[in-house]
Amino acid sequence: MASYNLSHLDQLESEAIYIFREVAAQFEKPVILFSGGKDSITMVHLARKAFWPAKVPFPLLHIDTGHNFPEALEFRDNLAETYNVTLDVGLVQDSINRGTAREEKGTNPSRNSLQSVTLLEKLEEGGYDAAFGGGRRDEEKARAKERFFSHRDDFGQWDPKNQRPELWNLYNGKKAVGESFRIFPISNWTEMDVWQYIKKEKIDLPSIYFSHKRKVVNRDGVWIADSPYNTLLDNESYEERVIRYRTLGCMTITGAIESDASTLDDIIEEVAAARQTERGNRADDKRSEAAMEDRKKQGYF
Amino acid sequence: MSNTAGYMDMDLLRFTTAGSVDDGKSTLIGRLMYDTKSIFEDQIDAIEQSSQNRGDEHVNLALLTDGLKAEREQGITIDVAYRYFATPKRKFIIADTPGHIQYTRNMVTGASTANLAIILIDARKGVIEQTKRHSFIASLLQIKHIIVCVNKMDLVDFDEEIFEKIKNEYLAFDAKLEIPDIRFIPISALHGDNVVDRSKNMDWYQGPSLLWTLENVQIASDRNLIDSRMPVQWVIRPQSDEYHDFRGYAGLISGGVFRKGEEVVVLPSGFTSKIKSISSMNGELDEAFPPMSVALTLEDEIDISRGDMIAKPNNQPNSNQDVDLMICWLNTDGLKVGGKYLVKHTSNEAKCIVKEVRYKVNVNTLEKSEDEKDVSANDIARINIKTAKPLFYDSYRRNRNTGSVILIDEFTNETVGAGMII
């Protein structure tokens, strides 16, 4: 007799597809927040599966800090074209020009906190009432209690004490005018699950996830890439290293790791052996113990 | 993490942990994650730093599980947190629920998706009120497997008699509950005895370790593979040249098995048709079973929309507007008899009115009280509701997916009640 078992990856996929379909049914105008990273690429793949053979019924929204890896931007544009998905881009620079966001002072300012401003502006401008994010609960402490359907008030803010309980697979997307939701279809995935799934489904990724040579500078233990957005400090100099990226963000704060991993199998091996969480290389989370929680409250993904 | 790389087809087990204050729940979760290498160096660094800042004498493992600043300041856990670890055999999702504040509501939430519950008992204290409460909730939520971990065995000299006494105490109480599979393991979470490896301090215990048990508990047969049910979530209409006439009825298989060519009935219309295909981006499937998300196409053109239920003509769900529920109340505003709510059930939703509170259950003694009718936050009661249109359901006991509902307050939009259909 057939055992009717589903592997962990099949169950996670099914759960995510279920979430995508729920959101399509419960909301007027959902949007997929697309960072260009592997988690959001995986989300797009899951969304395609959820509605196949129809096209993905949501646009992609990319909040562009202006400090992105060119490889990631090129990948983004190709992906939108290949799958015939609308791509909406919100430029942090526009918010700075408008005066709604202000660049941090000092050398090598991070534009990560400014992303929240542009994001909220774009969500309002587009009339989006649900925004899919690639957040996972294993990523960071503040996310362990995050809901699949995360309620935001009409300022886009997250109140950790006022989240709706989620039972079984019954998701409540009811909201008042002006309120919105962030939706996290891959909440239950770990970094390893994502990599295994990418391998299983043969999902394409930007080249910078794989080992390559790059000029980098070691700053506080983090390898930062040579880019027009990075200013060398006194006593700093670039050197060429064989590196790759585990996560993609602003070029000024996303650290590379030294790695020879050039295939998905190599990466999976490496992730398995890694002793640092992938966000460990993100300077923005190191700023304070509760950095992520504070940014979430302000409307960050 | 280190050892699961090559394992693309692990099983998945979801479990909930319940315990009272100071019975070592955080330590146990910490140990499972640590011993399966699911805690990273930077996470350990972060909690070491926090422990120092707080002036704690040693590394406080609870900080690993107490995530939010709001609750670290208050030193309490206020919500369900989800944690992950994996072995080559299984991926595990822990719904970590606090034992004290808002315990019932949080335990019910955590238990609603769990295959198994770990109940912790402090060997020095034995079965206490909270043990009973946790077990009752696990039973109410139809969790089929309970592992009772008698913890802190190191503090009672690894004494077999104490373990046996607690086991008997628990079994005497448990006779009132319906839990088909209960196991007992004497452990010391702090020192790791019987958590991952068999303890050298308790030769008298011949059973497996906790982790071995978690890896090997059979859960596949807990699903209902008999009553075929698929609530329609969404209708896929590509409107493209290639798929011009394609109508895919998308949903999560909530019970039974659907096969290509089989006859199905669609509710509420009652029309029947045959499954033309089970489609997916990776190719057509011959059959679909829980918990797969699929899209069915049918031979005939029938008007089908979200909220409809696809089943088999000779095995249909109940269809009724008058429904009895066991409800766990989640909101600080109490249940209003005569009040109107929105009931969400599978992909369907309807207005409903609460007709009656039949009785309340004392979660500590399990006694039913027909005199008490005030249902407030964390209360459990049996109620009767009347819905504006029929629900297509099975009893919760038969199927957790088609037997569960949530109640939503139409004014605040909050989820206020979790109901299990009787």
Side-chain angles (χ1 to χ4, degrees), chain B residues 129 133 136 359-369 372 379-380:
Chain B
E129 206 170 85
R133 188 158 68 211
F136 168 63
Y359 58 78
K360 245 172 88 169
V361 182
N362 181 322
V363 290
N364 296 321
T365 61
L366 308 192
E367 279 164 14
K368 295 171 187 170
S369 164
E372 270 190 89
D379 281 348
I380 288 173

Side-chain angles (χ1 to χ4, degrees), chain B residues 16-19 107-108 111 117-121 127-149 169-171 173-180 182-184 363-364 366 380:
Chain B
T16 175
T17 51
M107 253 218 80
V108 168
I118 292 181
I119 291 185
L120 274 166
I121 297 180
V127 173
I128 59 172
E129 206 170 85
Q130 288 201 34
T131 318
K132 297 182 184 174
R133 188 158 68 211
H134 294 149
S135 307
F136 168 63
I137 291 168
S139 149
L140 182 71
L141 273 288
Q142 292 284 314
I143 291 182
K144 311 276 189 208
H145 313 273
I146 284 190
I147 304 176
V148 180
C149 287
E169 248 178 277
Y170 187 92
L171 286 170
F173 149 78
D174 173 76
K176 295 184 212 164
L177 304 174
E178 324 165 26
I179 297 160
I182 302 178
R183 301 158 198 234
F184 297 85
V363 290
N364 296 321
L366 308 192
I380 288 173

Side-chain angles (χ1 to χ4, degrees), chain A residues 8 14 145 188 193 277 293, chain B residues 10 42 69 71 84 91 291:
Chain A
H8 71 297
S14 173
K145 301 184 180 186
N188 277 332
D193 296 329
T277 61
E293 185 181 351
Chain B
M10 296 184 283
D42 53 336
K69 187 164 73 174
E71 61 193 32
Y84 305 85
K91 170 189 167 88

Side-chain angles (χ1 to χ4, degrees), chain A residues 9 15 25 29 37 50 74 76 87 118 123 133 140 142 144 152 181 187 203 218 232 260 263 274 292 295:
Chain A
L9 293 178
E15 179 178 78
K29 207 173 171 193
E74 191 190 329
R76 172 196 79 184
L87 174 68
T118 311
L123 290 179
E140 213 274 341
R152 303 299 159 107
F181 277 79
S187 287
I203 300 173
N218 195 313
L232 287 178
D260 293 324
T263 66
M292 174 71 96
R295 280 188 289 137

